[in-house]
Amino acid sequence: MAESNAVVNCLLIQVSGNSLILPQSSIAEVVRIPDVLAKSSSVDWFKGIFEWRRQQVPLISFDRLCGWDSVEPKGNVRWAAILYALTQAHGLVFYALEIHTTPRSLGITADSICEDTSVNSQADHDVVAAHVLVNDQVAIIPNIPRIESLLHEQLS
């Protein structure tokens, strides 16, 4: 069998001192967060809705979703990574993750990523799919289907 050197283009995204890894193809755009409309939710991870390209985009906080203490980004600029919804239930085409800095592009190969076994994954929320090391950088792969499921519950 031939060895694969395929590269997956990803973005390394900072949230509350942690790094998330997402494929670039899952992200529509990274934007400064405009005014967020009031939320109608009792959970603190659902931040509200903002308008982007004539679409209503729900904004969520991954760190709050995990139960982590939220670290406010430095300065007045707030960013969001707008993701394509996988399931598109309830008419949801896009949603956004609140992020703390502009993402960093990263090419990942099978040789450059491995599971981070030093982390106690038992303490994780179910929105964390895995802890990994990418080129010796600790990162989290989010459980996108679970995040979308929780978001659909809030929007129903």
Side-chain angles (χ1 to χ4, degrees), residues 24-28 82-86 88 93-95 144 148:
Q24 272 184 332
S25 60
S26 69
I27 300 173
I82 300 175
L83 280 68
Y84 295 103
L86 295 177
Q88 297 191 3
V93 179
F94 302 101
Y95 63 98
I144 297 298
E148 290 185 12

Side-chain angles (χ1 to χ4, degrees), residues 67-138:
W68 302 334
D69 290 333
S70 184
V71 176
E72 290 300 317
K74 294 178 181 173
N76 293 329
V77 178
R78 294 176 48 216
W79 296 92
I82 300 175
L83 280 68
Y84 295 103
L86 295 177
T87 58
Q88 297 191 3
H90 303 291
L92 182 68
V93 179
F94 302 101
Y95 63 98
L97 290 177
E98 184 177 47
I99 61 177
H100 292 188
T101 61
T102 54
R104 185 169 59 104
S105 183
L106 189 64
I108 298 177
T109 64
D111 294 334
S112 67
I113 188 169
C114 65
E115 184 179 2
D116 183 0
T117 57
S118 68
V119 177
N120 176 10
S121 60
Q122 296 297 324
D124 279 340
H125 191 283
D126 60 353
V127 296
V128 174
H131 291 270
V132 294
L133 291 170
V134 180
N135 300 327
D136 296 324
Q137 163 115 29
V138 176

Side-chain angles (χ1 to χ4, degrees), residues 31-106:
V31 299
R32 290 179 184 217
I33 299 175
D35 292 332
V36 177
L37 303 174
K39 64 179 184 173
S40 59
S41 173
S42 60
V43 295
D44 64 350
W45 55 265
F46 181 64
K47 308 292 269 184
I49 295 176
F50 65 90
E51 188 169 321
W52 171 75
R53 296 186 182 183
R54 298 187 193 117
Q55 299 266 342
Q56 297 295 305
V57 178
L59 176 65
I60 63 175
S61 168
F62 185 82
D63 50 352
R64 298 273 176 142
L65 189 56
C66 289
W68 302 334
D69 290 333
S70 184
V71 176
E72 290 300 317
K74 294 178 181 173
N76 293 329
V77 178
R78 294 176 48 216
W79 296 92
I82 300 175
L83 280 68
Y84 295 103
L86 295 177
T87 58
Q88 297 191 3
H90 303 291
L92 182 68
V93 179
F94 302 101
Y95 63 98
L97 290 177
E98 184 177 47
I99 61 177
H100 292 188
T101 61
T102 54
R104 185 169 59 104
S105 183
L106 189 64

